[in-house]
Amino acid sequence: MEIEQQIGTGGKYPDFLVTRGDQQFVVEAIWTAENLDATGSRSLPPQVVDVIDRVPSPNFYVAYKVDSVGSTTPQQRRLKNELTRWLASLDPDQVTAEYEQKVPLPRHTWQEAGWRLSFEAIPRSPGRRGDPTSRTIGFHPSVWVADDSDWVLKAVRKKGRKYGELGLPFIVAVGNSAVFPEDEDTESALYGTSVEYAHHTGSTFGRNADGYWTAAQDQTHSRVSSVLTVDNPAPWTWAKKNPVLWQSPAPDSLPAPVLSTWETVQLVDIHVERQSAARPIHTSLGLSEDWPIGDAFPRRRPSAES
């Protein structure tokens, strides 16, 4: 694999030139991400979230909600002290027993300088109690997802027109960060949205010309041989998620090689056909199937000297 070699008529430097046996192909990588926010504009400053998470609470997790937002950052020391006193006043066994009798979990409201935060105490299971250094926040506020369903389409358009004629198979690799990634969204972005046509004798199905490869107005899109997607790539998913190679239906696209750890998708008429990977991704990375092992983000207990 060679990095940033000058290839093609555009005078640019794609990310990777890959040689595999007697085959060569070009890979250009890009990262996409949906727009996220915590309950709209009602989000806490990161330093306040960190203070809540560090409240000593060996017997309870907390969930919090921002009811109103102040104009300045709230006093963190007073918030921490008040939460500490409230949580210390609760008995986890009693709260658990009452909750089993349909009594709501304990709630606490904190207000200062225009801020109003609501907290709920959630008992830790008996085997997880007793560690004052463990994380306190059990649930963050829900997130909303901006309507950015065309992120993959934008990414491939951006990279696909950058290098001119390459004379080699060209793969655009997309790391797709999304809360709820759906293959249907990628399918629509590349092959066009599906549509049903109603007739008096029944209905037929087709595809709109709004996909990357099905847009009638731009034949240069056939330069991209395939799009390789990985949803939410991260260390804890590397050994578990096989990349998916979406193949161009354009007859003049140069076919890209398919690695044995890649799933494939191709458009046949108006339908997509999927082929599973020949082997799991962890085998090519030299990792175990359950990698990574051990505890995530372990907290160190303070030493006796500190």
Side-chain angles (χ1 to χ4, degrees):
M1 181 182 295
E2 299 174 80
I3 300 174
E4 295 186 344
Q5 300 295 304
Q6 185 174 1
I7 306 170
T9 60
K12 302 289 183 67
Y13 298 80
D15 290 335
F16 306 105
L17 174 62
V18 183
T19 302
R20 184 172 178 261
D22 58 354
Q23 293 180 309
Q24 282 191 317
F25 58 98
V26 174
V27 177
E28 177 74 4
I30 188 171
W31 175 269
T32 70
E34 290 179 321
N35 288 338
L36 304 180
D37 197 1
T39 61
S41 62
R42 295 183 173 184
S43 55
L44 276 177
Q47 62 268 35
V48 179
V49 175
D50 187 61
V51 164
I52 296 171
D53 207 21
R54 293 179 181 275
V55 168
S57 180
N59 297 322
F60 290 90
Y61 296 107
V62 299
Y64 73 92
K65 183 179 69 170
V66 182
D67 298 317
S68 61
V69 177
S71 57
T72 60
T73 302
Q75 289 292 327
Q76 298 163 41
R77 183 184 298 274
R78 287 202 287 268
L79 172 60
K80 180 177 181 180
N81 291 342
E82 187 169 326
L83 283 179
T84 301
R85 288 193 298 269
W86 171 59
L87 291 168
S89 71
L90 302 174
D91 183 328
D93 293 325
Q94 180 181 348
V95 171
T96 300
E98 291 176 347
Y99 184 71
E100 291 173 352
Q101 299 299 316
K102 310 300 182 183
V103 176
L105 292 171
R107 289 181 171 86
H108 180 76
T109 300
W110 183 83
Q111 298 183 76
E112 181 177 303
W115 289 89
R116 179 184 171 92
L117 310 180
S118 298
F119 296 91
E120 187 174 66
I122 305 162
R124 299 179 189 264
S125 60
R128 294 185 175 275
R129 296 176 191 170
D131 183 1
T133 67
S134 59
R135 295 177 182 272
T136 297
I137 297 176
F139 297 93
H140 290 269
S142 59
V143 298
W144 63 273
V145 183
D147 185 15
D148 291 321
S149 56
D150 59 348
W151 276 117
V152 172
L153 179 58
K154 290 179 179 178
V156 180
R157 279 178 175 166
K158 177 180 178 180
K159 294 297 186 179
R161 64 172 176 253
K162 188 174 182 180
Y163 300 105
E165 295 293 343
L166 292 170
L168 292 171
F170 180 29
I171 297 175
V172 177
V174 180
N176 183 30
S177 176
V179 179
F180 303 110
E182 297 285 350
D183 281 350
E184 184 178 348
D185 293 335
T186 302
E187 176 186 323
S188 297
L190 299 177
Y191 299 139
T193 53
S194 59
V195 60
E196 181 179 1
Y197 300 100
H199 309 283
H200 67 278
T201 57
S203 59
T204 58
F205 295 87
R207 287 188 179 273
N208 290 317
D210 54 0
Y212 180 76
W213 283 306
T214 57
Q217 70 274 18
D218 197 340
Q219 298 303 315
T220 61
H221 288 178
S222 61
R223 294 173 182 167
V224 176
S225 306
S226 300
V227 173
L228 186 69
T229 60
V230 182
D231 291 331
N232 295 321
W236 49 91
T237 65
W238 288 341
K240 300 173 178 64
K241 290 189 175 181
N242 285 72
V244 181
L245 188 74
W246 302 78
Q247 298 171 310
S248 169
D252 51 343
S253 289
L254 296 175
V258 179
L259 273 61
S260 60
T261 53
W262 294 351
E263 299 179 16
T264 59
V265 180
Q266 61 178 335
L267 185 67
V268 179
D269 294 327
I270 63 169
H271 304 288
V272 295
E273 293 185 355
R274 301 185 69 100
Q275 181 71 39
S276 300
R279 59 193 182 99
I281 186 66
H282 71 87
T283 59
S284 68
L285 299 176
L287 302 172
S288 62
E289 185 175 5
D290 57 351
W291 190 91
I293 58 176
D295 296 328
F297 310 113
R299 283 288 186 89
R300 292 182 60 187
R301 295 177 180 270
S303 64
E305 292 80 10
S306 62

